[in-house]
Amino acid sequence: MPELPEVETIVRQIRSGVEGREVQEVTVSWPSTVARPSLENFRRGLVGQVIERVWRRGKWFIFDLDSGSHLVGHLRMSGRLYLSPFPEHPYMRAALSLDNGQHLVFADVRKFGRLILAESLEEALPSLGPDANTDEVDGLWMEKELRKRKRFLKPLLLDQSFLAGLGNIYVDEALHRAGLHPLRKSHRVPASKARELVSAIKLVLQEAIEAEGSSFDIFYRTPEGQPGAFQDQFQVYGRSGKPCRRCGRVVVRRVVAQRGTHICHGCQPAPRPRKLIVG
DNA sequence: CAAGACTCCTGACGGC
DNA sequence: TGCCGTCAGGAGTCTT
């Protein structure tokens, strides 16, 4: 599933072909891809607009339009976004035809991906947390924010209103590198470990961006159609039953918060169960 | 506030 | 060989 590094890779790749271009035509072949507004207003708000800037926040890609509105989108599980001379793809759900003859194709096998056109980012992405790959997120920030909540680390790090950009893969990888068990409670993580967690998150993200993302299954490809390379550097994700690359202990898979979760009990000691003290 | 259930979808995969 | 049931998974929404 595309996470922050995969979206970053896509944004970098399409940026030069999209910025400064005018949208001439909008094609939507799976209507529920457009979350809002109505299909009619979606088209009306896009045709004739110049795309001024392409960027991303968390896993969302964002196109700033000259009207001041924003086209934002999420690839979810199986979405792809790329430029093509043809507005065609077996799983194409929507496409923007540009004034340079190129078509920005949004393809998505599982149809979970979404596009939103909104007048402000606040309206498009309410309650999206800070991007995991910015300086705003540092050791102090993590220490403070973890202490505010009493949640398991895994679902908390997956929560995009807490921190934007991490998905199942990079949460497992970051927790492993920080030596933190997914079921540790956020408020019980010591300050030193909070700082280690931030370092681990940033390291994993930057390494993955350098490798142009991960291709853990058939879906994700770089914009040139090549698989990413970062999956070769996974320490625990998808390695259940295999030895941990750091300590050699067998990696275990269990379900945490409805997500397949990969844990090395050598590197990530289970939280000590709290005893109920009576009397 | 926290956390689980449910929903949307389809290809992959296991079983027979 | 081929059919069929089961499953994964991001995020919004609803329920406990």
Side-chain angles (χ1 to χ4, degrees):
Chain A
M1 52 249 70
E3 304 181 26
L4 187 156
E6 290 75 25
V7 179
E8 178 68 29
T9 301
I10 289 165
V11 162
R12 288 181 183 184
Q13 195 62 43
I14 65 172
R15 179 172 283 141
S16 66
V18 170
E19 286 183 347
R21 301 271 64 86
E22 185 186 306
V23 178
Q24 295 193 324
E25 204 181 328
V26 174
T27 308
V28 177
S29 37
W30 181 257
S32 50
T33 297
V34 177
R36 59 184 188 267
S38 67
L39 270 188
E40 194 189 331
N41 288 336
F42 183 77
R43 277 203 189 86
R44 206 185 341 239
L46 278 168
V47 173
Q49 289 297 307
V50 173
I51 299 168
E52 294 189 330
R53 183 180 169 222
V54 180
W55 55 298
R56 64 146 198 93
R57 181 160 156 203
K59 307 178 208 171
W60 293 86
F61 57 83
I62 302 169
F63 293 4
D64 295 345
L65 308 175
D66 65 342
S67 62
S69 294
H70 308 270
L71 172 65
V72 310
H74 200 300
L75 300 165
R76 293 284 178 92
M77 307 301 303
S78 56
R80 296 181 56 187
L81 183 70
Y82 62 95
L83 283 166
S84 161
F86 312 105
E88 297 164 2
H89 185 283
Y91 298 107
M92 188 180 95
R93 307 303 178 199
L96 305 186
S97 303
L98 307 177
D99 63 358
N100 58 357
Q102 293 282 299
H103 305 269
L104 192 62
V105 174
F106 186 87
D108 183 19
V109 173
R110 291 188 182 169
K111 301 178 174 174
F112 280 8
R114 290 293 179 267
L115 296 173
I116 296 168
L117 179 65
E119 289 183 8
S120 71
L121 276 185
E122 195 44 45
E123 181 196 335
L125 306 174
S127 74
L128 187 66
D131 187 273
N133 204 30
T134 54
D135 292 341
E136 181 186 351
V137 175
D138 60 12
L140 197 64
W141 180 91
M142 185 63 80
E143 187 190 329
K144 199 179 64 184
E145 296 298 320
L146 288 183
R147 207 183 309 144
K148 276 188 202 169
R149 297 165 176 83
K150 300 184 176 181
R151 295 182 59 183
F152 295 131
L153 287 179
K154 168 111 186 191
L156 180 60
L157 293 173
L158 285 173
D159 184 342
Q160 302 298 298
S161 70
F162 174 72
L163 185 63
L166 300 181
N168 205 37
I169 293 175
Y170 297 114
V171 167
D172 280 7
E173 290 295 312
L175 285 174
H176 174 261
R177 289 186 194 209
L180 285 165
H181 192 281
L183 290 176
R184 287 281 288 270
K185 285 281 197 172
S186 57
H187 63 296
R188 297 216 190 95
V189 174
S192 62
K193 275 288 177 187
R195 288 195 293 273
E196 273 185 59
L197 178 57
V198 169
S199 304
I201 288 169
K202 300 214 170 190
L203 191 65
V204 166
L205 291 177
Q206 277 154 26
E207 287 177 0
I209 288 170
E210 276 168 37
E212 298 194 299
S214 311
S215 297
F216 43 88
D217 64 20
I218 61 163
F219 296 123
Y220 176 75
R221 290 292 180 273
T222 67
E224 299 90 358
Q226 299 300 310
F230 190 68
Q231 68 279 2
D232 301 332
Q233 297 174 52
F234 287 167
Q235 303 292 303
V236 285
Y237 188 85
R239 292 181 52 78
S240 58
K242 296 179 183 168
C244 167
R245 288 191 161 131
R246 186 197 286 158
C247 77
R249 215 158 137 173
V250 172
V251 175
V252 169
R253 181 186 186 276
R254 61 172 289 186
V255 175
V256 174
Q258 289 92 243
R259 301 276 182 272
T261 300
H262 307 78
I263 308 165
C264 166
H265 289 296
C267 299
Q268 300 163 274
R272 198 162 51 90
R274 296 222 110 197
K275 284 190 181 153
L276 187 65
I277 300 167
V278 183

